[in-house]
Amino acid sequence: MNSSYEHIVIGVGGIGSAAAHWIARRGGKRVLALEQFELGHWRGASEDHSRIIRHAYHTADYASLTRAAYEHVRDLEEATGMDLIKVTGGLNLAPNDSAGNAEIGGYAHSLAEQGHAYEVMDGAELAARWPQWHVGRETVALYQADSGLLDIRRANSAHISRARALGVTFRDRSPARGIAAAADSVEVRTDDEVYRARTLTICAGSWTDTLLADLGVRVPLVLTQEQVSYFAAPDLRPFAPGRFPVWIFHGAVFDGEETSFYGFPVYGEAGVKLGRDVSGRFVTQQTRSFEPSAAQTAENAQFLKRYLPGAAGPELVSKTCVYDLTPDRNFVIDTVPGYPHVALCVGAGHAAKFAALLGHIMADLAIDGGTGYGIGTWRLDRPALTDPGFPTDFRMANAAQAQRHNPWETA
Ligand SMILES: Cc1cc2nc3c(=O)[nH]c(=O)nc-3n(C[C@H](O)[C@H](O)[C@H](O)COP(=O)(O)OP(=O)(O)OC[C@H]3O[C@@H](n4cnc5c(N)ncnc54)[C@H](O)[C@@H]3O)c2cc1C
């Protein structure tokens, strides 16, 4: 078996499949992509029907890249003839007296800064436009028309298909067991082979740390077991994509604490989908289970009863998944110190919308050793990843903007 390649990618999830595609597209020859499970498996973070894609983001670092994120998916649609984004419009909503209100203020700030149009309304206006929502008048809602859902499962398949067509070799059911890096090459050991290459791209998601140990690097990832549930609403039509936007509800109080939920119109499964962001179920790869928790299903159902009663119905299906959280909930995109030909990317539980773009960025790092996209914030040596005392904060909020006298103050 030919075990010598120019480029190796470990992990064929949302980001790895895009990286394999883009390395070949950028002229990389002899590209190998290793996946520990079968291609398209459901054990990672990129295999459900839908993920939210949006311009409404909490900091300029992300907001300045969302246009490119959309363009990269549109480019993939063009190359495959597949529909991958369904634009539904998107709502960010929160009770006025919650921290969620300030969070949304940060989103408005970024949208204005990036020149995206948006509308702000109170609970009464919201209910007039989307009577599916039962919220108090004392609610703030931000609507952005370009938001929608990304069919992450189809996008992965599209990236793999394009990569194959460009000559990439995929070895699935081939877990990388070890990495040995030299000054200008790298070896990756699997159960039955040692592969050599000039560059290595690690897109292993919540398994990243297991692989990095060989390189003397550690990313302090926190894994949480997340769960989404689909409910068989008595009448699904009001929740159809053309009638019901994707949404994020900031500052919903459950068990006495403010938390965020997010949801989708009917897509993939014949049910209304929602989940809580950062469930608080801290796990390891060994302790995570694939069995949905009745408590999380009940919490999701309770959210519907409270705010979207028309969507409340029997559970159709629930799915578990794992977040790979960094202490500041920011991505990690960098080369490994001492090994500029070894790069890694971690999506911190919010990267599906960026996966196609991140694949391009990882290809730039492999091919050119650098990229024109702004990734400086997501370095490996930042305090959040190097200072054990760094205050962990998993909320996707712009703390600086939120602390302003008026968080809604736009640019
Ligand atoms: C419930 C949930 C909801 C989400 N909602 C959104 C959303 O609405 N919008 C959004 O943008 N993002 C969302 N995200 C985040 C997004 O899905 C992830 O950030 C993204 O999918 C991560 O992609 P990945 O390629 O890094 O990880 P994964 O898809 O997990 O891929 C990593 C791959 O590496 C493989 N691997 C690991 N170790 C090895 C090894 N040693 N050898 C070989 N292969 C290996 C794994 O098997 C896996 O296939 C959500 C995530 C979850 C869990």
Side-chain angles (χ1 to χ4, degrees):
M1 186 185 291
N2 174 1
S3 57
S4 173
Y5 291 83
E6 189 188 359
H7 305 282
I8 296 178
V9 176
I10 298 178
V12 186
I15 302 173
S17 60
H21 163 230
W22 273 97
I23 290 174
R25 176 143 169 201
R26 292 236 29 234
K29 297 286 176 271
R30 303 197 326 284
V31 183
L32 172 69
L34 293 172
E35 169 51 50
Q36 64 183 338
F37 303 121
E38 70 284 2
L39 292 181
H41 69 91
W42 43 269
R43 300 175 192 80
S46 311
E47 282 304 330
D48 195 8
H49 299 288
S50 54
R51 294 283 190 255
I52 294 176
I53 184 165
R54 53 187 159 95
H55 290 301
Y57 242 86
H58 54 296
T59 66
D61 301 311
Y62 295 103
S64 61
L65 290 178
T66 60
R67 279 195 180 87
Y70 273 78
E71 284 156 14
H72 277 70
V73 182
R74 292 303 189 197
D75 165 85
L76 189 59
E77 290 182 326
E78 185 63 32
T80 58
M82 297 167 76
D83 295 332
L84 301 173
I85 295 177
K86 191 177 274 298
V87 174
T88 63
L91 287 166
N92 290 86
L93 50 166
N96 283 352
D97 59 1
S98 71
N101 183 339
E103 282 178 23
I104 300 178
Y107 286 59
H109 180 80
S110 299
L111 285 169
E113 218 172 37
Q114 299 299 327
H116 296 294
Y118 63 92
E119 300 166 58
V120 178
M121 62 199 82
D122 68 13
E125 291 163 87
L126 174 80
R129 269 174 84 173
W130 292 284
Q132 300 93 327
W133 282 101
H134 286 216
V135 294
R137 177 181 285 275
E138 297 308 309
T139 299
V140 60
L142 179 152
Y143 177 75
Q144 213 286 317
D146 305 313
S147 296
L149 63 87
L150 166 72
D151 189 320
I152 182 77
R153 188 177 184 74
R154 285 160 62 93
N156 297 350
S157 168
H159 276 131
I160 294 170
S161 170
R162 297 303 307 146
R164 276 203 188 287
L166 290 165
V168 173
T169 303
F170 285 83
R171 294 257 181 277
D172 64 358
R173 297 180 180 83
S174 298
R177 300 291 187 198
I179 299 170
D184 57 2
S185 65
V186 62
E187 282 185 357
V188 177
R189 182 172 46 76
T190 64
D191 293 334
D192 50 19
E193 189 68 55
V194 175
Y195 298 102
R196 289 173 198 81
R198 187 171 64 74
T199 79
L200 174 62
T201 299
I202 302 172
C203 301
S206 55
W207 289 268
T208 298
D209 245 359
T210 328
L211 281 168
L212 291 181
D214 288 348
L215 299 166
V217 176
R218 189 174 167 273
V219 177
L221 290 181
V222 171
L223 306 189
T224 57
Q225 177 149 334
E226 300 297 315
Q227 179 172 322
V228 295
S229 298
Y230 292 79
F231 291 92
D235 181 359
L236 287 174
R237 291 164 298 180
F239 301 96
R243 300 190 184 116
F244 188 64
V246 296
W247 55 273
I248 302 176
F249 193 113
H250 310 247
V253 178
F254 275 76
D255 316 329
E257 68 166 282
E258 282 195 17
T259 184
S260 294
F261 284 75
Y262 58 89
F264 301 80
V266 177
Y267 185 83
E269 309 286 349
V272 175
K273 171 185 173 181
L274 79 158
R276 174 175 171 165
D277 183 47
V278 190
S279 66
R281 289 186 67 187
F282 298 100
V283 295
T284 65
Q285 281 303 352
Q286 291 66 42
T287 61
R288 73 142 304 166
S289 87
F290 295 94
E291 282 314 305
S293 112
Q296 282 182 280
T297 304
E299 193 178 63
N300 290 339
Q302 198 188 345
F303 181 96
L304 289 184
K305 283 202 189 81
R306 198 189 289 179
Y307 296 113
L308 290 164
E315 177 194 20
L316 190 65
V317 62
S318 288
K319 306 179 181 186
T320 73
C321 177
V322 172
Y323 275 171
D324 45 0
L325 299 172
T326 49
D328 55 3
R329 188 92 192 253
N330 282 317
F331 295 165
V332 181
I333 308 177
D334 205 349
T335 56
V336 172
Y339 304 107
H341 52 299
V342 180
L344 76 148
C345 185
V346 173
H350 60 109
K353 64 182 79 60
F354 290 105
L357 169 63
L358 293 175
H360 188 167
I361 291 172
M362 298 316 289
D364 289 349
L365 295 181
I367 304 268
D368 308 326
T371 182
Y373 291 100
I375 60 168
T377 311
W378 302 315
R379 304 163 55 91
L380 262 173
D381 61 1
R382 67 182 190 264
L385 304 183
T386 54
D387 170 4
F390 183 90
T392 296
D393 185 350
F394 296 140
R395 287 171 309 137
M396 285 200 277
N398 182 332
Q401 183 70 14
Q403 264 130 34
R404 277 177 180 234
H405 168 61
N406 166 12
W408 282 87
E409 188 184 293
T410 58

